[in-house]
């Protein structure tokens, strides 16, 4: 099965040939090569009606799922429809190793948060949307180490409950707006899921402003608590470096909001 260790990203193409496709993610973003598009409006988010349900360890990341019965989570910018929040999850590094998936002029960040939304106007289910070229919109937010993040502890405090692959626990009443930086300025480009099945179905919206989390929150929270492996697996593999490296841009344009 695919992973970040043995079956690492460089071998994914064997079972998922689209790994060598023309709109793969992540990418390295070069700000001064991004085209500033005047008719690219602001991104508008509204997570106040979203209902978080649970938090789980799927063996690749820690995922917070939402009841995707709300339409109005994100709209505007490059999006022709409003998209519905389905889940968010993280990618991170390990001891002193950066772990973001997108990079900016070759610079990686400690971690990257992905808020995954789907086009419920055009498609009936998330599954259907996840294979359509305009099916998903993923809001990417960089995490850099600095001050304590006042709300991230709500997530890191429960990670001990989802230490092992396949574990899941209730996680209600979490509003992800507390994870957004102050500015919603962004870069946007057409890409893919960054994990198998690597569907080329994502409109990526990467926020320029990182959020700050403390070293302790990263160490105690992500790196220390989570494992790739199941509870009865005697090989305890720490969940870390669960990021795919940047992929070829293949002539794609990256646009920049003002
Ligand atoms: N990193 S991403 O581009 O934001 C992304 C957004 C939505 C996704 O559905 C996936 N990938 C995924 O769900 N793969 C199924 C196997 C995992 C559980 O076994 C990746
Ligand atoms: Zn992701």
């Amino acid at each position: 099965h695919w992973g970040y260790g043995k079956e690492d990203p460089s071998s994914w193409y064997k079972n998922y040939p689209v790994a060598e496709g023309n709109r793969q993610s992540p990418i390295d973003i070069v700000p001064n090569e991004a085209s500033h598009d005047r008719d690219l409006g602001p991104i508008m988010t509204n997570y106040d009606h979203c209902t978080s349900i649970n938090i789980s360890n799927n063996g690749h990341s820690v995922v917070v799922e939402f009841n995707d019965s709300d339409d109005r989570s994100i709209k505007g910018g490059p999006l022709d429809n409003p998209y519905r929040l389905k889940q968010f999850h993280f990618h991170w590094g390990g001891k002193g190793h950066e772990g973001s998936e997108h990079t900016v002029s070759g610079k990686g960040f400690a971690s990257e948060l992905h808020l995954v939304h789907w086009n419920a106007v055009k498609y009936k289910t998330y599954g259907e949307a996840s294979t359509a070229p305009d099916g998903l919109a993923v809001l990417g937010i960089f995490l850099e180490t600095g001050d304590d993040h006042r709300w991230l502890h709500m997530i890191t405090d429960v990670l001990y409950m989802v230490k092992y692959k396949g574990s899941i626990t209730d996680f209600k009443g979490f509003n992800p707006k507390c994870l957004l930086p102050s500015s919603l300025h962004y870069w946007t480009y057409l890409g893919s899921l960054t994990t198998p099945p690597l569907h080329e179905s994502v409109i990526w919206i990467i926020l320029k402003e990182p959020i700050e989390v403390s070293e302790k929150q990263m160490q105690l929270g992500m790196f220390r608590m989570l494992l790739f492996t199941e509870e009865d697996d005697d090989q305890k593999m720490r969940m870390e470096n669960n990021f795919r490296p940047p992929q070829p841009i293949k002539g794609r344009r990256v646009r920049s909001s003002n």
Side-chain angles (χ1 to χ4, degrees):
H1 191 57
W2 67 272
Y4 296 96
K6 279 188 319 302
E7 303 285 298
D8 72 307
S10 63
S11 69
W12 291 352
Y13 73 92
K14 295 175 192 163
N15 289 325
Y16 306 93
V18 73
E20 298 177 326
N22 295 324
R23 55 174 281 191
Q24 288 291 294
S25 293
I27 59 168
D28 177 47
I29 295 165
V30 184
N32 51 31
E33 285 173 13
S35 47
H36 178 102
D37 225 329
R38 212 163 305 286
D39 59 15
L40 197 52
I43 276 294
M44 290 167 276
T45 61
N46 180 351
Y47 294 127
D48 294 345
H49 310 272
C50 294
T51 314
S52 67
I53 304 172
N54 59 48
I55 185 168
S56 65
N57 175 335
N58 65 14
H60 309 287
S61 183
V62 57
V63 187
V64 173
E65 290 268 354
F66 286 78
N67 172 340
D68 57 354
S69 60
D70 175 90
D71 247 336
R72 301 179 296 272
S73 315
I74 192 169
K75 63 182 183 183
L79 305 176
D80 293 341
N81 300 120
Y83 283 59
R84 212 176 261 183
L85 180 64
K86 171 75 178 161
Q87 53 110 318
F88 69 77
H89 63 271
F90 298 84
H91 302 265
W92 61 90
K95 210 113 196 54
H97 195 292
E98 302 292 58
S100 65
E101 299 211 293
H102 291 87
T103 53
V104 180
S105 299
K107 171 185 161 27
F109 293 81
S111 172
E112 189 171 329
L113 161 62
H114 289 159
L115 291 142
V116 182
H117 312 75
W118 62 285
N119 187 337
V121 170
K122 280 184 72 173
Y123 307 104
K124 282 191 291 299
T125 65
Y126 170 80
E128 187 191 343
S130 71
T131 60
D134 59 350
L136 301 182
V138 182
L139 189 59
I141 302 176
F142 293 121
L143 277 67
E144 66 181 6
T145 46
D147 298 336
D148 228 54
H149 190 285
R150 62 179 302 138
W151 304 106
L152 194 73
H153 68 82
M154 290 181 68
I155 294 172
T156 52
D157 286 351
V158 302
L159 292 183
Y160 74 96
M161 299 279 285
V162 289
K163 189 179 183 61
Y164 300 102
K165 172 180 178 182
S167 47
I168 184 167
T169 191
D170 278 358
F171 192 68
K172 294 195 173 16
F174 184 82
N175 185 330
K177 76 177 174 187
C178 66
L179 297 175
L180 300 178
S182 47
S183 160
L184 291 185
H185 286 322
Y186 61 90
W187 296 287
T188 184
Y189 77 98
L190 298 181
S192 73
L193 303 182
T194 65
T195 72
L198 299 170
H199 293 317
E200 298 190 324
S201 59
V202 182
I203 297 170
W204 278 96
I205 299 165
I206 308 287
L207 296 188
K208 296 184 180 182
E209 183 186 335
I211 59 170
E212 277 194 31
V213 304
S214 67
E215 189 62 44
K216 191 164 77 52
Q217 285 177 310
M218 289 297 287
Q219 296 299 334
L220 280 183
M222 311 290 191
F223 309 150
R224 289 278 167 282
M225 278 295 168
L226 300 169
L227 300 179
F228 281 127
T229 44
E230 291 170 332
E231 189 161 7
D232 58 3
D233 195 330
D234 48 21
Q235 262 202 343
K236 300 211 169 307
M237 304 278 289
R238 180 173 297 146
M239 187 179 278
E240 57 186 5
N241 301 310
N242 57 346
F243 63 92
R244 188 191 194 190
Q247 300 301 306
I249 191 77
K250 302 232 175 146
R252 285 174 283 177
R253 245 156 44 93
V254 177
R255 293 187 292 161
S256 169
S257 74
N258 51 14

